[in-house]
Amino acid sequence: MKKTMFAVALAATTALAMPALAQDKFSGGQVKIGILNDQSGPYADYGGKSSVEAAKIAIEEFGGKVAGKPIVLVDADHQNKPDVASNIARQWYDADGVDMIAELTTSSVALAVQSLSKEKNKIDMVVGAATSALTNDACTATGFHWAFDTYSLARGTGGALVKAGGNSWFFLTADYAFGHQLEKDTSNFVTEAGGKVLGAVRHPLNTADFSSFLLQAQASKAQVVGLANAGTDTTNAVKQAADFGIVKGGQKLAGLLFTLSEVHALGLEKAQGLVLTEAYYWDRDDKSREFAKKFMERTKRAPNMIQAGTYSAVRSYLKAVEAAGTDATDAVAAKLRELPVDDAFSKGKVAADGSFVHDMYLFEVKKPSESKAPWDYYKLLQTIPAAESFTPAAKSTCPLVKKS
């Protein structure tokens, strides 16, 4: 009798515990994603609220649920300040139940949040920041770099222009982690190809007046002026370079991080002929056009690689959660590394260092006479294979990468 009563009690206890155990697979009974980026500063068009819309498209494609659990999206403006970003991320992780943070425009912000994510054992998926340090010395088991990095940008634009005869370079560099790394990575490709770096000048983030910097570039007599900056810094530099007659004087401008958003802001008249590297173009194929149609209906603009990359990162995260059957960090991170990616943004796989490895594309901005429709801005010069686009294992300084 005692054994029977004990068995009944045990069965009842087990039955009561089962829903709780199932609930434990998902923190708070939901999957919560945060988009943290610049929504009011120099990178607001580059990613901004449009990246939030891209994330919403990915969530809607899942029907708003994953593994039967509701998906919740929050977003915030980090103002390009690492301390502001870290405070928001800490609040999200500690109090608000956020499982993953994505986008993270601005390299100093991305490095700070990736470090905090490691401390809290949470996943971060960097899209809008470029520094290759994220998957080298600063790599983590829970950190992922999704769309591009300074290595892939330098390999594309820098390598191509040296081959085309641009043997001497001078850099206008944004004075923070991203600019420094982009200048360094591009300089390496230039010198390896037999070119020379004649000098560089660094400018503060969100610079309005580039005159003194452009005069130094002009005086250098370098064949190529490399713009190691992004967002409105790049568009301002290009506009003012035209005022100084830099291109008319025989020097070539290289936008080392230049996207469709910046081309649109400049207009084809001023942007024509610029060579740039992107991971995505809306008119590449049927998948890219399908996503772009959804995006344009919401934003009235075509997506660039940061916005399409945010869509891909969120979609891939949700697929990993679905495959893992939980939002537990270690299980989801393992699935992100295991599952192949094939979506509107790109096709590829995640490497040991956390990089999403995929093809990159070298484009030239069309002349106004070549553009046949709104947002018809690019002609493809070269597809750079995935194997050549990102830091090879032999050159990696990420502790997670095993050297052969």
Side-chain angles (χ1 to χ4, degrees), residues 36-39 41-44 46-48 77-83 85 102-114 126-131 134 145 148 174-179 205-206 230-231 233 257 306:
L36 186 56
N37 62 3
D38 177 7
Q39 298 181 3
Y43 305 137
Y46 168 91
D77 183 353
H78 60 45
Q79 303 169 47
N80 296 303
K81 297 175 181 177
D83 57 337
E103 224 271 43
L104 295 167
T105 298
T106 312
S107 291
S108 54
V109 163
L111 288 164
V113 173
Q114 181 151 296
V126 177
V127 183
T131 180
L134 286 159
H145 203 172
F148 63 97
D175 194 10
Y176 70 102
F178 147 69
L205 177 66
N206 208 14
D233 281 338
L257 177 45
I306 291 88

Side-chain angles (χ1 to χ4, degrees), residues 169-251:
W169 284 64
F170 186 94
F171 291 94
L172 264 68
T173 301
D175 194 10
Y176 70 102
F178 147 69
H180 301 170
Q181 191 67 52
L182 184 52
E183 178 191 321
K184 179 185 175 187
D185 286 348
T186 308
S187 295
N188 288 341
F189 277 109
V190 168
T191 55
E192 284 174 9
K196 293 181 180 180
V197 176
L198 303 184
V201 61
R202 291 177 175 175
H203 66 80
L205 177 66
N206 208 14
T207 299
D209 184 2
F210 279 87
S211 56
S212 65
F213 310 119
L214 289 166
L215 285 169
Q216 291 180 63
Q218 197 169 42
S220 75
K221 306 295 185 184
Q223 293 169 304
V224 180
V225 178
L227 303 176
N229 49 23
T232 55
D233 281 338
T234 307
T235 54
N236 284 337
V238 173
K239 287 176 184 176
Q240 292 172 41
D243 295 336
F244 283 93
I246 285 181
V247 175
K248 287 183 179 178
Q251 292 176 293

Side-chain angles (χ1 to χ4, degrees), residues 3 6 27 64 68 82 117 144 172 186 188 213 245 316-317 323 326 340 392 398:
K3 286 184 178 179
F6 176 76
S27 54
S117 300
F144 299 86
L172 264 68
T186 308
N188 288 341
F213 310 119
S316 296
Y317 174 76
T326 177
C398 172

Side-chain angles (χ1 to χ4, degrees), residues 51-128:
S51 284
V52 179
E53 293 302 318
K56 288 178 182 178
I57 293 171
I59 292 168
E60 288 167 10
E61 288 181 357
F62 273 77
K65 290 186 176 182
V66 61
K69 304 297 179 183
I71 304 164
V72 177
L73 182 70
V74 295
D75 69 271
D77 183 353
H78 60 45
Q79 303 169 47
N80 296 303
K81 297 175 181 177
D83 57 337
V84 171
S86 295
N87 288 337
I88 294 169
R90 191 178 297 276
Q91 168 72 23
W92 281 358
Y93 286 152
D94 290 348
D96 298 341
V98 169
D99 300 298
M100 183 274 281
I101 297 177
E103 224 271 43
L104 295 167
T105 298
T106 312
S107 291
S108 54
V109 163
L111 288 164
V113 173
Q114 181 151 296
S115 177
L116 177 66
S117 300
K118 178 183 179 181
E119 175 192 328
K120 299 293 183 180
N121 193 35
K122 297 282 190 174
I123 289 173
D124 67 276
M125 301 183 75
V126 177
V127 183

